[in-house]
Amino acid sequence: MNKEKDFPVTRNQTSLSSSETEAILPQELAARLDLYPENKRRPVNKTVFRSEYFQLTYNLKENVLNVSSRGNLVYSAIPYDTARNYIQRAAIQYLLHPEEVRQYIEAHKANLETYLILSIFQTTNKRVNKDSSEIIKAYAAIFEDPLFEIQILGRLLQHDETGALSANLAGKFLFSENMKTGISGYVSEYLKFIVQLTQTLPLKSDGKNIQLVSSNLQGVLPSDKQLSLESDIKLGLNLLPQEVKQTIKQSIAATKQAIPANNKLLLRSEFGKELSKVRKNYVAHSVDPREIEQYFENVLPTENTNLVNVVSDIQTIDGKLAFTNKHFNILAGDISDSRVVNEDIEGLYVIGNHDLVDILPKDQNKKGKEWEKWQPFFKNEWFKALIHNPEDSWYKLPIGNHLYYEYVKNELEKRFPKISVLNNDSLIHNGIRYIGLTIPVVLARRKKAQQKFILKTLDQLLNNEYDVPTVIVSHAPLFNELSMLSPESPAYNKDYVCSQPQLETLFEEYNIIGAIHGHHQIPASAGRYKMTKFAGKELFVVCSIYSKMNTGFELMELLTGEK
């Protein structure tokens, strides 16, 4: 569901009073707080910069800069359109690298043709093929309007990161239908705002995150993917519609013929009742991305050269590992839903909840020799649920060193003979000790028992070797303090905090440098690592979820401190 809400961009663990603001914000930003009268009655969220439709606010409590809609401009008439952040990121990449944007889109031509075929069918109930005049014309239209081309890039970024799209395809991929959605108007106003903002203040943005130029956008995008005062946007700017270009502060003079604009704004004040009626009567018809993935090609490279490669949550359904890496891999669980076998990949593996089902025999009737080894678990309610309805079994799973997990480990090692499956065990690779804990899911209701198990196991595996650099790997995070999950996520549980003082003491005494997890399906664009304070020291937390744009995260820069 699309919600016009703030998106956090730079965080600090410390809450701030208003008297401390100027010590945190540079003078150029702190001085602006007095420009807006509403700041006097706002105890937390202070306006720093605004336009007619967007605003930059500063949260005093959390030390966070936010860009948000001011409420009247509607992002999309399409109900439940979740691509806003992808399209904003695409808008900035179009400004910075228009030629690369065109190349990226053209590389996806076969997939775009599939989307266009489906779009035309959804609109007209007419079946066409990729060589038809309708598809040729619809594909060409992508490159005739820059604001539409930006949207197409955003859709492809979403496709490559989260899977194939299925709902409301016509409004997303057919120019004739897209004109009715209001997204082009949103994009034009967003571009005006974000360029004015970064030209006026010492800020940088990748379209989702915004931060002070002097800070690092941790784990998001390299500097050449971020818009700032130093960015060269002449080429991209000159391709935009004339009226958009002319209203951007400090815009560069146009050198090309003006392109007709398709940027009618969709305002809540004008269309609010109509939008509410459409969304109230809307019946969702989206399909699980994995069900339609077979109709699309993966046009991005599947091999990476990371020396210590972190990946999780591939959940592949075609029986093949979805990426290749010839070095050391850390597989943080949920790698397969199709009994993958790979004799070449090396590294370590921790058990995820999907792995618990994936290793079981295919025959659901529990007959035949394949089931004999699993008979000791037949009487357990959690095991019965695991077989017949896994989604209802996750929070019934046993904690700690249960025999079932050892069985799972043995099966996984048969499939990945060069991989060490760490079921509450450890290994050392190039001087770094990796401890793999079996935490398939977040067990918030049994947090006390879970953390007691974590403490006992870590104490045993650390074995009084205080100086060895150590990374802890688990599928679900250990607790909130060492999790990448945002408190704004529906999956976030505020009670899943570290409540064992002895765990903090253990982290303080030993040379634990970071933690790795998966499980929460955090998109790569949200950042794959963060630095956090815990037990009186700074640790890294990595969550590397697989996508076609993300075949793994290079851990070496964090291990060596060169972040």
Side-chain angles (χ1 to χ4, degrees):
M1 180 183 297
N2 173 51
K3 295 182 180 179
E4 298 290 338
K5 68 176 186 177
D6 296 351
F7 44 95
V9 286
T10 176
R11 290 192 177 272
N12 187 299
Q13 296 295 320
T14 307
S15 298
L16 303 173
S17 65
S18 56
S19 61
E20 296 174 299
T21 304
E22 292 189 9
I24 299 297
L25 288 178
Q27 181 60 31
E28 297 96 321
L29 272 65
R32 298 187 61 88
L33 299 183
D34 294 331
L35 298 178
Y36 303 99
E38 65 267 27
N39 286 337
K40 293 181 180 180
R41 62 178 183 273
R42 291 181 177 176
V44 178
N45 289 308
K46 305 288 187 179
T47 302
V48 179
F49 189 91
R50 73 184 180 199
S51 68
E52 185 176 2
Y53 299 112
F54 289 92
Q55 62 187 353
L56 173 71
T57 59
Y58 176 63
N59 186 303
L60 292 173
K61 185 177 180 181
E62 299 183 7
N63 186 24
V64 178
L65 287 168
N66 294 301
V67 167
S68 63
S69 165
R70 296 184 65 190
N72 195 28
L73 181 62
V74 177
Y75 154 64
S76 172
I78 301 173
Y80 314 116
D81 190 346
T82 60
R84 178 168 59 92
N85 285 328
Y86 291 99
I87 289 174
Q88 290 174 178
R89 184 148 57 99
I92 285 184
Q93 296 317 305
Y94 187 90
L95 276 184
L96 298 175
H97 309 290
E99 294 178 355
E100 286 87 342
V101 165
R102 178 66 59 89
Q103 292 169 6
Y104 191 90
I105 294 174
E106 289 176 341
H108 288 71
K109 183 179 180 182
N111 288 338
L112 282 170
E113 289 171 341
T114 300
Y115 275 126
L116 292 171
I117 290 169
L118 294 171
S119 298
I120 290 174
F121 179 74
Q122 286 184 0
T123 306
T124 67
N125 209 31
K126 178 182 178 182
R127 297 189 182 276
V128 296
N129 59 56
K130 66 178 182 179
D131 298 320
S132 67
S133 60
E134 293 96 331
I135 298 302
I136 293 171
K137 182 179 179 181
Y139 178 77
I142 292 171
F143 306 105
E144 294 173 1
D145 184 288
L147 298 176
F148 186 51
E149 186 174 352
I150 286 169
Q151 294 175 56
I152 294 297
L153 173 63
R155 304 295 181 186
L156 293 176
L157 293 175
Q158 184 182 21
H159 170 105
D160 286 337
E161 187 167 285
T162 65
L165 314 180
S166 60
N168 292 291
L169 295 181
K172 296 170 182 176
F173 292 97
L174 291 178
F175 180 75
S176 58
E177 299 302 308
N178 180 263
M179 293 176 65
K180 307 170 188 176
T181 66
I183 304 175
S184 287
Y186 180 95
V187 171
S188 68
E189 290 299 326
Y190 176 78
L191 278 171
K192 294 175 190 178
F193 177 80
I194 203 69
V195 173
Q196 290 172 6
L197 179 65
T198 54
Q199 292 281 321
T200 304
L201 299 173
L203 299 170
K204 58 186 177 181
S205 177
D206 64 359
K208 180 182 179 181
N209 301 275
I210 188 165
Q211 202 171 50
L212 300 175
V213 168
S214 58
S215 303
N216 292 320
L217 281 169
Q218 294 181 352
V220 181
L221 289 172
S223 59
D224 67 337
K225 301 296 184 183
Q226 302 167 28
L227 181 68
S228 70
L229 179 61
E230 303 300 321
S231 300
D232 182 4
I233 61 173
K234 181 182 294 185
L235 182 57
L237 199 62
N238 285 340
L239 295 173
L240 292 174
Q242 185 77 5
E243 60 185 78
V244 177
K245 183 169 45 183
Q246 288 179 339
T247 56
I248 293 179
K249 188 178 181 180
Q250 297 182 3
S251 65
I252 302 170
T255 58
K256 286 196 171 189
Q257 183 178 356
I259 302 172
N262 167 37
N263 59 333
K264 178 175 172 55
L265 304 183
L266 184 61
L267 302 179
R268 190 168 278 105
S269 57
E270 296 180 18
F271 302 99
K273 291 183 179 179
E274 183 181 345
L275 283 170
S276 296
K277 184 177 180 181
V278 168
R279 290 177 176 175
K280 182 179 180 180
N281 298 325
Y282 174 74
V283 178
H285 60 275
S286 58
V287 179
D288 188 310
R290 296 191 298 174
E291 292 184 21
I292 53 177
E293 196 171 69
Q294 59 182 309
Y295 302 110
F296 295 90
E297 299 177 9
N298 180 19
V299 299
L300 301 180
T302 59
E303 182 178 7
N304 71 58
T305 58
N306 295 340
L307 296 179
V308 180
N309 185 50
V310 184
V311 71
S312 69
D313 298 83
I314 298 176
Q315 299 177 13
T316 184
I317 59 174
D318 64 0
K320 300 177 182 178
L321 201 59
F323 73 99
T324 58
N325 179 285
K326 298 179 181 178
H327 302 289
F328 188 80
N329 293 271
I330 298 174
L331 307 181
D334 281 10
I335 300 304
S336 168
D337 282 334
S338 55
R339 297 168 174 81
V340 167
V341 174
N342 189 291
E343 297 182 352
D344 298 319
I345 190 167
E346 301 180 19
L348 67 87
Y349 194 131
V350 295
I351 299 170
N353 50 306
H354 282 248
D355 302 312
L356 303 179
V357 181
D358 190 53
I359 50 81
L360 292 173
K362 294 181 181 180
D363 178 14
Q364 294 292 301
N365 294 320
K366 298 185 292 185
K367 297 179 180 179
K369 285 190 175 182
E370 288 183 318
W371 278 103
E372 288 180 1
K373 71 174 70 173
W374 306 103
Q375 285 185 357
F377 311 108
F378 282 3
K379 63 181 182 297
N380 295 302
E381 291 300 321
W382 60 264
F383 187 72
K384 295 176 184 177
L386 195 66
I387 296 172
H388 299 295
N389 190 359
E391 294 301 322
D392 286 341
S393 73
W394 301 141
Y395 301 104
K396 303 174 185 177
L397 293 175
I399 291 173
N401 291 309
H402 196 278
L403 181 63
Y404 182 72
Y405 299 138
E406 192 65 21
Y407 277 42
V408 174
K409 169 188 172 179
N410 293 337
E411 292 300 312
L412 290 173
E413 286 181 335
K414 293 176 185 176
R415 298 181 187 178
F416 301 94
K418 294 184 179 180
I419 286 280
S420 297
V421 180
L422 300 184
N423 174 31
N424 307 314
D425 206 345
S426 67
L427 63 78
I428 291 181
H429 174 74
N430 287 347
I432 305 295
R433 174 170 51 191
Y434 296 94
I435 292 179
L437 299 181
T438 298
I439 307 177
V441 293
V442 172
L443 296 176
R445 294 182 181 179
R446 290 185 280 160
K447 179 183 66 172
K448 184 176 180 180
Q450 180 85 300
Q451 293 186 10
K452 185 177 179 181
F453 152 72
I454 293 172
L455 176 63
K456 179 180 178 181
T457 307
L458 286 179
D459 188 50
Q460 292 174 346
L461 295 175
L462 289 166
N463 194 31
N464 295 323
E465 297 169 343
Y466 292 93
D467 297 328
V468 181
T470 300
V471 176
I472 299 172
V473 188
S474 57
H475 180 61
L478 303 178
F479 31 76
N480 287 345
E481 290 86 343
L482 297 179
S483 171
M484 285 283 290
L485 188 66
S486 168
E488 298 177 358
S489 169
Y492 185 84
N493 188 322
K494 63 182 178 61
D495 296 324
Y496 194 62
V497 294
C498 180
S499 57
Q500 280 274 1
Q502 292 169 290
L503 268 173
E504 287 201 51
T505 302
L506 183 145
F507 270 79
E508 184 179 358
E509 291 178 346
Y510 284 90
N511 188 18
I512 299 172
I513 60 176
I516 296 170
H517 74 89
H519 188 57
H520 283 302
Q521 308 296 329
I522 301 169
S525 60
R528 283 172 278 171
Y529 82 91
K530 69 177 182 180
M531 305 304 297
T532 189
K533 288 286 185 67
F534 180 70
K537 60 184 178 181
E538 191 175 61
L539 304 171
F540 66 74
V541 181
V542 172
C543 183
S544 186
I545 306 296
Y546 170 81
S547 74
K548 291 180 175 64
M549 291 192 294
N550 165 33
T551 59
F553 173 76
E554 175 60 89
L555 192 65
M556 281 298 294
E557 62 178 15
L558 294 175
L559 295 178
T560 59
E562 297 174 356
K563 49 185 177 293

